[in-house]
Amino acid sequence: MHFKKAFAVLAPSVVAVSLLVEPASAGVMMQGFYWDASASGTSWWNNLGSKANELKLAGFTAVWIPPVTKGASGGYSNGYDPFDDYDMGSKNQMGTVATRWGTREDLQKSVAMMRANGLDVYVDMVLNHRNGDDGSWNFKYADAYGVVGNGNGRFGKGYYDFHPGFKSQDANVPNDDSSFGRDLAHDSAYVADGLKKAGDWMTKSLDIQGYRLDYVKGISYTFLKDYLNYGAMAGKFAVGEYWDGNRDTLNWWTSSAMGNRSTVFDFALRDELASMANSGGYYDMSRLDHAGLTGINPSQSVTWVENHDTDGHNPISKNKHLAYAYILTSEGYPTVFYKDYYNYGMKSTIDNLIWIHEKIASGSTQQRWKDGDVFAYERMGGNHLLTALNDNGSSARTITVQTGFGANVKLHDYAGRGADVWTNGSGQATITIPANNYVAYSKDGIGGTFATANYAVTQEFAGASDLDIKPADNTQLVTVGRVYAQSGKPITANLYYDAASWTGSTYIYLELDGPTGTKITSNNFYTSTAQPGTITYTPTSTGWYTFKIRSYNTPTANQKPNYWLKTTYTAPQK
């Protein structure tokens, strides 16, 4: 028998209205990895790129990818033990060139393929700490020639770049925990400037659209605001991992501390959803009424059901479909966990809910019914959406609720669980919610599918001796990098270069080779050339196109000039 405490049922006319209105379609994010993810026979970056088309056609709008820089445990690292800020899988360090997820080249191709399908890409940024020093707090990195030493690789660090070496912690750090590694001193001008420049370099190298900020409790929020407003990072999306179940604390961080510059994951709502799903029908469903940060500040809330951390130690073990039904019909920006979607058999359920989220759910929320077993609410924008969840594992429930659809309107359950119904002359609807299930009603006749949006990327290759790509060598032709381009879509390369001390005979030679290794086009750029120097080519076949560079007749003061090659191209969708 199903036992629950008795709760008073609110009459259909009694409503609660949310404080803020969400945009019509906030999109749906995929967390594109999990803790022990690996891809047999290929890199994880290639795996994500290969799934870009199906994710976009399913209605996803963004993919959150794992940390991209080399970790202290090399090929075994998930990226949360970051070592070198300028190694995205291109330097032979920590026993490997590639990161756990693949090479820099794989990564750039994956991002380009996601953009070719119209997906935004968010990178997981670990800014709290660094790992892998020599035991004495010294971080030394390989340069573009593979040489390791003081000052060889860019943004080396020492004892006084960390706490407590620099000084005591910044007062604007909410809750410092140095157990994750050497605790970066964000209040050091050198560290702050170095992190911002590294973030700018990474953003330009990949052409990404936003950031997931790891462990923001340990980071000065004054620094974070400056960081997110620096260079190529300015204006891009951000979401912080502030692990706290108090929605007022989450609201303080995103609104007051960060001045709305970053959204935040709604841990308070996730706690409620975990209690609801794991309680097996013994949860008070009325607690879902405007729950979590989403209930008071939905425009700054990123909602979620599972992630790489909770999946391992605090998972939702049952009834997860109810949790996804809630976040994908509610306000806030919902996140789907890769493992739930691909590994745990929830793809078809989630696909249907994404369609509902993107095609119907919009506007503010009115509560329409709540008791111990059932919670029903209506999204008031667009065509309106009436969602009801029943956590009773043995009994269906039938309720009559007031709606905003109007009188005598045919309603269809787009979740496919309930029969079509009509509102009565007063706009009320009588709906039945199956046991341990949900319904999602709106006006009959809504349709539509999802389409891709074919975006090009602009990915920058920066050449300098202290980076991962060699400068314009005056003794040999060196490879700048490769791009994986779609046939029929132009490749444009804009070259900026350091012409200091050049003479009239000094020049840089830039070459583009095709998939077979044959030179396709090239050009020479002199001190008199207006920058950027440009070469263009429209591929006749899809594949890898390689840029190579060399300098000639360079002066002693600038024998191997630095350069910045901005490549714009379109990757294939599949």
Side-chain angles (χ1 to χ4, degrees):
M1 183 177 293
H2 184 83
F3 296 95
K4 294 196 78 167
K5 294 180 180 180
F7 294 93
V9 176
L10 293 184
S13 60
V14 178
V15 298
V17 183
S18 67
L19 301 178
L20 295 176
V21 178
E22 180 191 48
S25 177
V28 180
M29 184 196 313
M30 160 67 81
Q31 180 182 351
F33 66 101
Y34 52 96
W35 197 254
D36 55 346
S38 63
S40 177
T42 185
S43 76
W44 190 255
W45 298 137
N46 288 339
N47 173 57
L48 286 182
S50 72
K51 287 179 164 54
N53 185 253
E54 70 179 28
L55 290 173
K56 182 62 179 180
L57 293 178
F60 286 98
T61 57
V63 179
W64 154 25
I65 65 175
V68 300
T69 55
K70 185 76 57 66
S73 46
Y76 298 99
S77 169
N78 288 294
Y80 294 99
D81 59 342
F83 172 62
D84 185 349
D85 297 82
Y86 288 94
D87 181 358
M88 297 189 296
S90 55
K91 298 183 186 181
N92 189 0
Q93 298 183 116
M94 298 300 175
T96 179
V97 173
T99 69
R100 177 190 179 93
W101 313 111
T103 64
R104 170 177 172 163
E105 189 173 86
D106 295 335
L107 171 59
Q108 288 179 299
K109 176 187 174 185
S110 181
V111 172
M113 291 185 71
M114 286 188 269
R115 295 301 290 152
N117 283 281
L119 292 165
D120 286 347
V121 182
Y122 306 150
V123 172
D124 201 318
M125 306 297 289
V126 186
L127 302 171
N128 174 73
H129 56 279
R130 290 293 175 266
N131 305 83
D133 62 278
D134 62 1
S136 298
W137 300 74
N138 297 309
F139 287 80
K140 301 176 183 179
Y141 307 124
D143 63 14
Y145 298 92
V147 179
V148 179
N150 290 324
N152 287 80
R154 187 169 295 186
F155 195 26
K157 305 169 189 70
Y159 178 71
Y160 293 102
D161 300 317
F162 302 92
H163 297 123
F166 177 71
K167 64 177 183 179
S168 60
Q169 185 58 275
D170 188 334
N172 293 326
V173 175
N175 182 31
D176 182 43
D177 182 348
S178 60
S179 64
F180 298 111
R182 303 302 195 191
D183 190 48
L184 283 163
H186 303 100
D187 39 351
S188 156
Y190 172 76
V191 172
D193 183 63
L195 290 173
K196 287 187 284 190
K197 287 179 177 176
D200 180 67
W201 169 85
M202 180 272 296
T203 300
K204 292 176 178 176
S205 297
L206 301 179
D207 193 3
I208 54 98
Q209 289 67 55
Y211 315 93
R212 182 264 187 184
L213 306 170
D214 183 67
Y215 188 58
V216 295
K217 278 187 176 182
I219 305 170
S220 163
Y221 50 80
T222 52
F223 161 77
L224 268 182
K225 285 187 289 188
D226 287 343
Y227 180 86
L228 293 172
N229 291 322
Y230 181 86
M233 296 178 286
K236 295 186 183 293
F237 173 81
V239 55
E241 182 212 27
Y242 197 106
W243 199 306
D244 197 297
N246 186 319
R247 72 178 186 178
D248 293 332
T249 301
L250 298 174
N251 195 37
W252 164 81
W253 184 82
T254 183
S255 299
S256 299
M258 290 298 294
N260 296 318
R261 178 59 187 87
S262 172
T263 62
V264 67
F265 283 108
D266 193 347
F267 280 86
L269 176 59
R270 198 274 175 175
D271 287 349
E272 286 292 341
L273 295 176
S275 295
M276 179 266 291
N278 287 334
S279 292
Y282 295 92
Y283 172 82
D284 172 11
M285 293 292 283
S286 67
R287 290 174 56 178
L288 292 178
D289 183 11
H290 288 78
L293 174 67
T294 309
I296 59 173
N297 193 358
S299 66
Q300 290 299 111
S301 175
V302 175
T303 59
W304 58 289
V305 171
E306 208 78 273
N307 67 21
H308 57 296
D309 288 319
T310 60
D311 179 62
H313 73 268
N314 184 30
I316 295 177
S317 58
K318 52 190 173 183
N319 303 323
K320 196 173 280 188
H321 63 295
L322 292 178
Y324 273 112
Y326 186 89
I327 69 166
L328 285 165
T329 58
S330 297
E331 299 177 72
Y333 184 3
T335 308
V336 173
F337 182 45
Y338 185 101
K339 241 180 168 179
D340 288 339
Y341 192 74
Y342 282 115
N343 299 31
Y344 294 157
M346 295 193 71
K347 184 179 186 301
S348 61
T349 296
I350 292 173
D351 281 347
N352 169 250
L353 288 166
I354 292 173
W355 187 92
I356 292 170
H357 182 272
E358 292 296 282
K359 298 297 183 182
I360 308 176
S362 67
S364 59
T365 303
Q366 286 193 209
Q367 175 270 118
R368 293 300 192 184
W369 185 283
K370 62 179 179 180
D371 63 25
D373 282 325
V374 172
F375 179 56
Y377 50 98
E378 183 176 347
R379 297 293 299 281
M380 304 303 290
N383 285 310
H384 289 221
L385 175 68
L386 176 65
T387 302
L389 295 84
N390 175 16
D391 81 331
N392 189 312
S394 59
S395 300
R397 283 286 303 277
T398 299
I399 60 175
T400 298
V401 297
Q402 184 65 45
T403 77
F405 293 109
N408 305 314
V409 176
K410 185 179 181 180
L411 303 181
H412 177 72
D413 173 24
Y414 289 91
R417 275 114 169 117
D420 289 354
V421 300
W422 290 78
T423 61
N424 64 19
S426 300
Q428 294 178 327
T430 299
I431 58 176
T432 298
I433 313 103
N436 193 36
N437 225 314
Y438 57 89
V439 293
Y441 279 94
S442 190
K443 295 175 182 178
D444 188 37
I446 301 171
T449 57
F450 300 106
T452 60
N454 199 212
Y455 297 145
V457 289
T458 298
Q459 295 178 331
E460 182 174 309
F461 296 88
S465 60
D466 61 346
L467 290 176
D468 60 334
I469 299 173
K470 295 175 182 178
D473 200 299
N474 64 345
T475 64
Q476 60 181 324
L477 194 66
V478 298
T479 297
V480 178
R482 302 198 300 171
V483 299
Y484 196 76
Q486 171 69 45
S487 64
K489 300 284 187 178
I491 300 172
T492 300
N494 289 320
L495 180 66
Y496 300 82
Y497 47 93
D498 177 12
S501 302
W502 281 20
T503 68
S505 63
T506 306
Y507 65 96
I508 279 183
Y509 168 80
L510 180 65
E511 172 182 311
L512 177 63
D513 296 352
T516 63
T518 303
K519 181 175 74 171
I520 294 170
T521 185
S522 64
N523 209 342
N524 299 327
F525 305 104
Y526 296 81
T527 186
S528 59
T529 305
Q531 295 197 37
T534 301
I535 61 173
T536 62
Y537 176 75
T538 299
T540 57
S541 62
T542 298
W544 288 106
Y545 290 81
T546 306
F547 289 97
K548 296 179 179 179
I549 201 166
R550 181 178 173 176
S551 59
Y552 288 88
N553 304 319
T554 51
T556 303
N558 189 9
Q559 287 188 330
K560 298 179 180 181
N562 294 342
Y563 61 86
W564 301 264
L565 183 67
K566 295 185 178 181
T567 61
T568 300
Y569 67 99
T570 304
Q573 292 187 326
K574 295 183 180 180

